[in-house]
Amino acid sequence: MRKKILITLALMFVYRLGCWLPIPGITGETYAGQAGNSGDILSLLSMITGGALTNGAFLAIGISPYINASIIIQLLTVAIPPLERWSKQGDEGRKKLNKLTRIFTLVLAVAQAIGIVINFSRGDQISTTVFNVNMKKWLVCIFVGAILVAGSMFTMWLGERITEIGVGNGISLLIFVGILSTAGISIVSVITAWVKGTDQNAPWQLLAFLLLVVVIFAFIVFVDLAERKIPVHYAKQIKGRKQYGGQTTYIPIKVNASGVLPIIFSTAILSFPQLIMSMFNMDPTKGFYKFWTNWLGTGKPIYSVLVGLLILFFSFFYAQIQFNAEEVARNIQQYGGNITGLRPGKQTSDYLKKINKRLTLFGAIFLAIIAIVPSIIFNFVFSSGTSIALVNAFSSTGMLIVVSVALEFEKQLQSQLMMKQYRGFLK
């Protein structure tokens, strides 16, 4: 276990190192101008990569293409029968889906790199001098795009290696360390401003912000661990000389089974038009871009309402994918079990559907509150001064990701320690 933890820390250190290595031919200020607004998709990507997008670093795109590819493959497994069959074929099917996910990751990384390079080249933000050598602009664009794609694929490789030889889910841990790094940098900047005397209210704002974050973290943990336990009783069965069953267990249904995915989907959909318009260098003071910014921009009332509605929709959609009431009811019936007071089969499946819908509704309302309310409070209380960097660092999505990954890492660590103890007992 000690060896696995050290390997995990070493690979995460390599990832953080790549988030600070600059790309020749482009400056960090270029990225900083593109990822400055709190809550939009570019600021979310910058937060997930630990500021690599803002730094114009080798791993600027980071793990976002892999995340999007994984989400697309998950959604396609419901719509495309061959992919659905792969998902039910065990390890062999999982290998096929992983290979398809890597291909989608490469395609999305190339598309994202091309969009970034086109945007910067149109704004004359690509330097034609690389390593003190004057080069053609198109050649520098290809060079920068290739480095961005290579960095994204290298990040995916690091995440898979952590999962394989380290502890926990590698992709989730890379996102986790990226968000914490962004938060740490923001806290250091606030403290630096206070020491230099540029913001005398910085320590009080930092203390108030941390207290609010602790309260929100506690609320997230409380709901994230909440579950409804449905008792299932299995009848006694005699097979040969042995007796099976005769015990009572339960089916756990989580309140927030979909995690942070509905928030990511909703934010990405509403921010995608603005992202496309900014990538193609459209004027934000004219036409559709101005209309979108004034009415559907981040923080606008209509934007908040649409985010809440989309979160409700995606929460129910993802719940239908994750929890199949008919299959659960069929498995209970096959093993001679029943829920007290209900007949096996359709009555059990209808009951499970009703419970799942109610819990999904509460989970969706929780996600909508977390996505909208903290951002409004933070922007209202910390709308000026150096503390605005804290608001950009600790978004609602970031806090949900941090809590979910930390709880999952703790569970996996405990399970591996438990397996080690069992092996020692058997020996």
Side-chain angles (χ1 to χ4, degrees):
M1 286 305 301
R2 187 183 300 111
K3 182 180 177 181
K4 285 188 174 185
I5 292 174
L6 290 175
I7 289 173
T8 302
L9 292 174
L11 291 176
M12 287 196 294
F13 173 77
V14 172
Y15 169 71
R16 287 304 304 156
L17 188 63
C19 292
W20 287 95
L21 292 176
I23 298 177
I26 195 168
T27 59
E29 289 77 11
T30 300
Y31 285 85
Q34 297 293 321
N37 296 324
S38 173
D40 62 11
I41 191 66
L42 283 175
S43 65
L44 177 62
L45 293 179
S46 181
M47 176 193 64
I48 288 175
T49 57
L53 185 63
T54 306
N55 299 331
F58 170 55
L59 304 181
I61 296 181
I63 203 64
S64 59
Y66 183 83
I67 298 171
N68 295 330
S70 301
I71 293 170
I72 291 171
I73 295 299
Q74 283 187 8
L75 295 177
L76 290 179
T77 52
V78 181
I80 301 178
L83 296 182
E84 187 178 1
R85 286 196 298 270
W86 288 359
S87 65
K88 297 178 180 178
Q89 289 177 358
D91 291 338
E92 192 64 31
R94 195 177 300 113
K95 288 179 181 178
K96 294 178 182 178
L97 289 175
N98 288 339
K99 184 177 180 180
L100 189 61
T101 303
R102 293 189 190 102
I103 295 172
F104 264 89
T105 301
L106 179 60
V107 172
L108 293 176
V110 170
Q112 196 166 339
I114 290 173
I116 290 175
V117 171
I118 289 175
N119 186 23
F120 293 156
S121 62
R122 286 186 176 183
D124 294 327
Q125 296 162 335
I126 294 289
S127 174
T128 55
T129 303
V130 180
F131 301 121
N132 294 324
V133 177
N134 290 326
M135 302 172 65
K136 297 287 186 180
K137 189 173 183 181
W138 64 268
L139 192 59
V140 178
C141 290
I142 294 175
F143 174 73
V144 171
I147 289 181
L148 289 172
V149 174
S152 178
M153 302 308 291
F154 178 70
T155 307
M156 180 187 69
W157 181 84
L158 279 178
E160 291 181 346
R161 295 291 74 75
I162 292 174
T163 304
E164 183 180 346
I165 60 179
V167 181
N169 185 289
I171 304 299
S172 300
L173 286 176
L174 292 183
I175 299 172
F176 176 82
V177 73
I179 294 172
L180 288 186
S181 300
T182 306
I185 293 169
S186 301
I187 291 173
V188 169
S189 66
V190 172
I191 295 175
T192 303
W194 173 59
V195 172
K196 290 182 177 179
T198 56
D199 191 355
Q200 296 298 327
N201 295 323
W204 305 110
Q205 291 179 340
L206 177 61
L207 180 61
F209 185 84
L210 292 178
L211 287 175
L212 281 174
V213 167
V214 169
V215 172
I216 295 171
F217 270 9
F219 179 53
I220 292 174
V221 171
F222 175 74
V223 177
D224 196 77
L225 295 178
E227 60 185 15
R228 171 76 180 270
K229 297 180 179 180
I230 300 176
V232 179
H233 179 72
Y234 289 93
K236 293 180 180 180
Q237 296 180 2
I238 298 175
K239 295 181 180 179
R241 296 182 178 181
K242 293 185 179 180
Q243 178 177 298
Y244 299 91
Q247 60 181 356
T248 300
T249 183
Y250 63 87
I251 302 173
I253 303 178
K254 292 179 68 67
V255 174
N256 184 28
S258 55
V260 74
L261 284 178
I263 294 182
I264 294 178
F265 284 175
S266 306
T267 306
I269 287 176
L270 289 179
S271 301
F272 186 72
Q274 192 172 356
L275 175 63
I276 295 297
M277 289 184 285
S278 65
M279 285 174 60
F280 287 96
N281 205 23
M282 294 177 63
D283 189 354
T285 61
K286 296 180 181 178
F288 183 71
Y289 199 164
K290 181 181 179 181
F291 167 80
W292 189 273
T293 304
N294 291 338
W295 292 96
L296 296 172
T298 306
K300 303 297 182 182
I302 298 179
Y303 174 87
S304 300
V305 172
L306 289 177
V307 165
L309 293 176
L310 286 174
I311 287 173
L312 288 171
F313 170 75
F314 283 118
S315 295
F316 278 96
F317 177 78
Y318 202 76
Q320 296 300 318
I321 297 175
Q322 274 199 322
F323 186 80
N324 191 334
E326 287 87 357
E327 186 175 349
V328 174
R330 187 163 52 249
N331 290 335
I332 293 174
Q333 187 175 9
Q334 286 177 354
Y335 289 99
N338 71 292
I339 298 175
T340 305
L342 298 175
R343 292 180 180 178
K346 188 176 184 305
Q347 192 174 6
T348 300
S349 66
D350 291 342
Y351 176 76
L352 292 175
K353 283 181 183 178
K354 183 178 70 172
I355 296 298
N356 188 40
K357 287 179 180 178
R358 288 181 179 178
L359 293 177
T360 302
L361 177 61
F362 283 105
I365 293 173
F366 157 74
L367 289 177
I369 291 173
I370 288 296
I372 298 171
V373 175
S375 301
I376 295 174
I377 294 174
F378 287 157
N379 290 325
F380 178 76
V381 178
F382 308 101
S383 58
S384 62
T386 56
S387 59
I388 196 168
L390 297 172
V391 179
N392 295 336
F394 266 123
S395 68
S396 54
T397 308
M399 287 189 282
L400 270 171
I401 293 173
V402 166
V403 171
S404 301
V405 174
L407 291 175
E408 184 63 28
F409 178 80
E410 192 268 342
K411 289 177 184 176
Q412 291 198 20
L413 192 60
Q414 290 293 338
S415 65
Q416 293 197 24
L417 288 172
M418 188 80 68
M419 289 172 61
K420 181 177 181 298
Q421 290 176 1
Y422 282 146
R423 284 199 297 268
F425 174 75
L426 291 174
K427 288 180 182 178

